[in-house]
Amino acid sequence: MSRYLLDKFLYQVDRSPGELDAYARDPAGYVERWEKEVAHVIGGGERTSGHALSDAERKAIVGIDIREMYRLGAHPFILWTAMLPLIEQRHSSFPEALRAYQDAIAGLGTPDWST
Amino acid sequence: MATLGAVIGVPHYPFHYRQVSAPSSQWSSETRAMVERGEMMREKLAASRPDALVVIGSDHAHQFFMDNMPQFLLGKMAHFDGIFYNEIREFGMAPVTVPGDEQLAGALLVEVLRRGADFAFSNELKLDHSVITPLQFVRPEFDLPIVPIMTNCAAQPMPPGSRLLQVGRILREAIEALPQRRISVVVSGHMSIEVGGTRQFLPGPTDEAFDDEVTRLIAAGDGEGLADFCTFERMSQAGNATYQFSNFIIAMGLRGDFPCTHAEALKRAGTSQAWYSWEPEGVQ
């Protein structure tokens, strides 16, 4: 389990439209590359080895499974911001996109999102 | 010795910019109320005749992440760029540039450190809506140099209320120890609010009882009471992002002997909006 790395993924994928599009186009390929090339890089390029995505986290990210990422404790603020443009692609208005997000996490309350 | 002109507390409701970009004939009553309050605070700030501003905001997981999360950070730059990509996308905000004052920022940092608040600093800080939206309300000309201070509102654990109050007091002393300037402080934050959780965008305030109680404590000048009331647990109960209220606890330390001249939880859908001011005795 690495809630930190789940958040790092969502944080980084939301930095530019190119990253979000690439993720949405090919989630499995994008996540595989990200884990290899980006996940463990800090600051000016040094690498760390202290975190690894759990199988459940990887599956949730690859599946763009909002409910599961939320349940696993993804930072709600970061999850919402990163997922909104992807949901909006499938809905014609903000209220509809909002409803889709709220339906996805319905009944889950506030999972522990500390890292 | 520098003079503290006023402490102005405003929301950083990020949708405001888009809402007021529409013709005023299309504004909702909620938008009109926000514009009116913003204008009132703009006048209060102008009346304090500042030559520089300290602006206290909170990075919303934009520049800062949990690899390196400062509790308090001061920005030292000659000018700052504002608004991140995902704020343009989500809120329709426009990038802006804000003047800074490296010398003033450096001097303030030294005075803060001398008094026991170990602020981090950044020589490459980008500002998000927590600083830009307040300036759009109270100094839309973006003509005064600012020293931004960012507090951690994004990652657990955060400092307790007692420390926020103490940091506010330290900031007041540090500002007043600076060489001859007139400095006013703009503080921004949220009241009860949920972002990305099951209670976001409700038809009314997220936790009206929280909003009313903190506003009562602020109006009563009860900084200790506010710090005691605002435990992490109580704030979380009021919404998963309510910790963004914490900058107003700092303001209660900063105000020193300034009476509260306005305290209001403006009720609207989703989240009440915080409008507070503290001005020298005799100012209405």
Side-chain angles (χ1 to χ4, degrees), chain B residues 196-214:
Chain B
T198 53
R199 294 180 291 164
Q200 66 173 344
F201 293 101
L202 297 177
T206 312
D207 185 338
E208 210 164 339
F210 176 89
D211 302 341
D212 288 342
E213 178 61 5
V214 295

Side-chain angles (χ1 to χ4, degrees), chain B residues 52-72:
Chain B
L53 301 176
V54 170
V55 185
I56 304 178
S58 39
D59 181 272
H60 296 67
H62 280 123
Q63 180 160 345
F64 306 136
F65 185 68
M66 284 81 87
D67 59 339
N68 207 340
M69 182 59 73
Q71 300 292 2
F72 304 101

